[in-house]
Amino acid sequence: EEIGIDVRYNDRVLWPKSSPVAAINPAVSYYWEFDDNKDGERNSFIGVGIDPELQPVRFGKVPVTISFPASLGASWDGYYFNDRGGTQQVGYWMAGIQAAVDLPSSRNSPKCRLEAELDYIRMLADSTKRANGGDNDDFTFRFGFAFQL
């Protein structure tokens, strides 16, 4: 069991409308295991990432936003292991592409959007490879609904 926090910064206001880049969207995550059933240690996870986003492109009347999320998962104290039981500092990296369509909303309602994302994940630590069935890499596809308050 773990508890954590994700901090994301929407830096869209820093980019001019004339730029092809709409935002970089840096993020950092920290998770701490307060109950580890495997070895009794309380290990930490840190993740860093960016989600560069381009200005919306119109497909007919529909503006579509394209972004390129990337992240790295790491730990300094035993969250990831090698095959000999030693600690590995970096567990994985991920890079992807996402397309999103903002849905109509009123001023007083949350901003909503439909998202579709394809990610490539590269497992670097032996423990992440084992958790992935011995495979070093994987592709994931996600389709969802997101909202922002």
Side-chain angles (χ1 to χ4, degrees), residues 12 25 51-59 61-69 97-104 111-118 141-148:
R12 180 180 303 276
N25 300 318
D51 191 2
E53 187 176 304
L54 301 178
Q55 296 289 353
V57 176
R58 290 200 171 275
F59 288 94
K61 293 184 178 183
V62 180
V64 177
T65 302
I66 306 294
S67 64
F68 304 92
I97 185 168
Q98 180 187 83
V101 175
D102 290 333
L103 300 174
K111 180 181 173 184
C112 300
R113 67 186 343 192
L114 290 176
E115 299 176 339
E117 184 173 333
L118 177 65
F141 177 75
R142 178 179 68 85
F143 181 78
F145 175 78
F147 67 94
Q148 178 181 4

Side-chain angles (χ1 to χ4, degrees), residues 78-90 123-136:
Y79 200 85
Y80 299 111
F81 294 96
N82 61 29
D83 286 336
R84 297 176 307 284
T87 299
Q88 284 188 266
Q89 276 66 47
V90 181
M123 283 24 121
L124 301 174
D126 293 336
S127 58
T128 57
K129 294 173 192 172
R130 273 193 311 281
N132 195 41
D135 196 6
N136 289 342

Side-chain angles (χ1 to χ4, degrees), residues 12 15-20 55:
R12 180 180 303 276
W15 295 87
K17 293 278 186 198
S18 60
S19 171
Q55 296 289 353

Side-chain angles (χ1 to χ4, degrees), residues 2 5-6 8 27-31 44-50 69-76 79-81 88-96 117 119-132 135-140:
E2 61 190 16
I5 186 169
D6 292 316
R8 299 172 187 278
V28 65
S29 303
Y30 176 78
Y31 287 83
S44 301
F45 164 86
I46 188 154
V48 294
I50 58 173
S71 63
L72 178 77
S75 176
W76 56 84
Y79 200 85
Y80 299 111
F81 294 96
Q88 284 188 266
Q89 276 66 47
V90 181
Y92 70 92
W93 64 265
M94 182 279 301
E117 184 173 333
D119 295 323
Y120 171 75
I121 305 169
R122 179 68 177 182
M123 283 24 121
L124 301 174
D126 293 336
S127 58
T128 57
K129 294 173 192 172
R130 273 193 311 281
N132 195 41
D135 196 6
N136 289 342
D137 50 15
D138 209 350
F139 284 93
T140 62

